[in-house]
């Protein structure tokens, strides 16, 4: 028995049917006796839609209000996922970044996680609840909402794994691992079984959006292994360690 951190990206939580597929991965770990923390992204293209809607109003939004707006997608996913888990008779509770809190610096739109207060997560574990955390968002010391940069839910998951001292961070996505190139664009791309933090950092910095570059930096700094695997297909995935 341990702490398992699983993150599910936008396509993994895109609709109700997929939310129930996500529940299977979560309950499988919970049923083994693990404490499970789940990090979710916004459903499908929700964040893109919010940014488009913002641009109908202004191209120069207040950075603070930009983050208030674009952080909301994750709140929807987190609440819906808890409702699905409840429907399956599992106890679960959602937390937004500000509720834990996940403290960041003030760099709106690309904020850096400084620390996470894990007290409410531990309390939820004591009540045998599955914990669902909204990815991509945090809060400043002054109480203002921040976001971590596009794709930032990966970083939420790795940071939670680090602060909870979980063995690994599992990143579930729409591909079955990290490839030598984007497998959706290059049919000859080969899948890696294992990568070092530096190898993965190079790829993430060169645009391999399968992992947010800051999540890899965080993982390297705190020595948290990351496993990238598919929500929809069985298989080992890729381990970054
Ligand atoms: P999520 O919504 O789960 O966070 P992303 O869209 O952010 O997923 O990242 C997964 C996508 O990353 C894949 O669908 C794939 O097209 C793309 N991708 C780009 N480069 C790579 C790579 N080297 N290996 C795997 N996937 C890659
Ligand atoms: N929803 C955010 C985005 O689209 C964060 C994430 O998906 O990780 O960038
Ligand atoms: Mg992503």
């Amino acid at each position: 028995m341990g702490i398992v951190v699983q993150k599910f990206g936008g396509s993994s939580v895109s609709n109700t049917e997929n939310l129930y597929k996500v529940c299977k991965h979560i309950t499988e770990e919970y049923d083994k006796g693990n404490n499970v923390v789940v990090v979710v992204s916004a459903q499908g293209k929700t964040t893109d839609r919010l940014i488009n809607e913002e641009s109908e109003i202004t191209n120069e939004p207040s950075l603070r209000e930009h983050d208030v707006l674009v952080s909301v997608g994750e709140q929807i996913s987190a609440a819906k996922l808890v409702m699905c888990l409840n429907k399956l008779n599992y106890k679960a509770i959602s937390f937004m970044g500000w509720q834990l809190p996940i403290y960041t610096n003030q760099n709106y739109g690309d904020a850096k996680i400084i620390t996470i207060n894990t007290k409410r997560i531990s309390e939820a574990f004591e009540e045998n609840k599955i914990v669902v955390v909204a990815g991509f968002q945090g809060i400043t010391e002054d109480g203002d909402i921040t976001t971590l940069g596009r794709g930032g839910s990966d970083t939420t998951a790795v940071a939670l794994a680090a602060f909870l001292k979980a063995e690994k961070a599992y990143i579930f996505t729409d591909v079955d691992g990290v490839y030598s190139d984007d497998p959706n664009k290059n049919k000859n791309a080969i899948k890696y079984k294992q990568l070092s933090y530096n190898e993965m950092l190079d790829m993430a910095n060169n645009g391999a959006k399968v992992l947010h570059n800051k999540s890899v930096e965080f993982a390297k700094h705190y020595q948290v292994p990351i496993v990238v695997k598919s929500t929809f297909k069985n298989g080992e995935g890729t381990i970054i360690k």
Side-chain angles (χ1 to χ4, degrees):
M1 175 163 159
I3 297 175
V4 173
V5 176
Q6 300 178 322
K7 176 257 171 178
F8 297 91
S11 43
S12 301
V13 296
S14 60
N15 54 41
T16 306
E17 190 186 341
N18 285 345
L19 280 169
Y20 277 111
K21 286 183 188 157
V22 163
C23 287
K24 274 196 113 181
H25 291 289
I26 299 167
T27 57
E28 200 178 286
E29 289 301 333
Y30 181 88
D31 289 342
K32 285 183 203 161
N34 291 309
N35 287 316
V36 187
V37 178
V38 183
V39 174
V40 282
S41 292
Q43 291 188 284
K45 301 268 175 233
T46 301
T47 310
D48 291 337
R49 201 192 75 224
L50 292 167
I51 291 170
N52 276 335
E53 288 175 9
E54 175 184 83
S55 68
E56 286 172 18
I57 301 169
T58 176
N59 288 319
E60 290 173 327
S62 135
L63 297 177
R64 181 186 184 280
E65 301 314 321
H66 170 82
D67 277 3
V68 173
L69 177 65
V70 300
S71 60
V72 303
E74 276 68 13
Q75 179 160 339
I76 298 169
S77 309
K80 284 188 179 177
L81 182 59
V82 168
M83 289 173 195
C84 291
L85 288 163
N86 290 162
K87 274 277 182 191
L88 298 170
N89 289 321
Y90 286 84
K91 291 198 280 185
I93 182 168
S94 69
F95 293 112
M96 301 306 103
W98 61 270
Q99 289 175 303
L100 289 176
I102 296 174
Y103 285 113
T104 72
N105 64 11
Q106 272 203 327
N107 194 14
Y108 294 114
D110 195 21
K112 193 176 164 193
I113 295 177
I114 297 163
T115 189
I116 301 179
N117 186 335
T118 54
K119 183 168 171 273
R120 293 195 74 179
I121 296 178
S122 306
E123 286 167 1
F125 286 164
E126 271 164 36
E127 292 166 7
N128 297 316
K129 287 178 180 159
I130 294 164
V131 172
V132 179
V133 177
F136 182 50
Q137 53 172 263
I139 191 167
T140 66
E141 227 178 36
D142 294 339
D144 290 325
I145 291 170
T146 52
T147 61
L148 309 179
R150 297 303 309 270
S153 299
D154 297 333
T155 303
T156 308
V158 173
L160 275 166
F163 287 110
L164 288 165
K165 298 190 170 40
E167 223 181 279
K168 292 185 189 96
Y170 289 91
I171 305 291
F172 284 88
T173 184
D174 56 358
V175 286
D176 61 355
V178 180
Y179 284 71
S180 54
D181 194 6
D182 186 338
N184 290 321
K185 292 189 183 144
N186 180 353
K187 292 260 170 296
N188 298 317
I190 26 168
K191 191 174 117 185
Y192 296 118
K193 275 197 168 151
Q194 191 178 315
L195 286 166
S196 68
Y197 293 120
N198 285 339
E199 286 167 334
M200 188 64 233
L201 253 183
D202 274 351
M203 294 181 70
N205 286 331
N206 284 312
K209 71 165 184 163
V210 63
L211 281 178
H212 191 225
N213 56 355
K214 278 195 278 181
S215 73
V216 188
E217 282 166 11
F218 222 97
K220 184 183 167 189
H221 186 260
Y222 287 92
Q223 293 292 302
V224 180
I226 302 177
V227 177
V228 176
K229 56 196 300 186
S230 168
T231 301
F232 307 105
K233 254 171 61 177
N234 285 329
E236 294 272 292
T238 302
I239 183 156
I240 295 109
K241 60 178 187 180

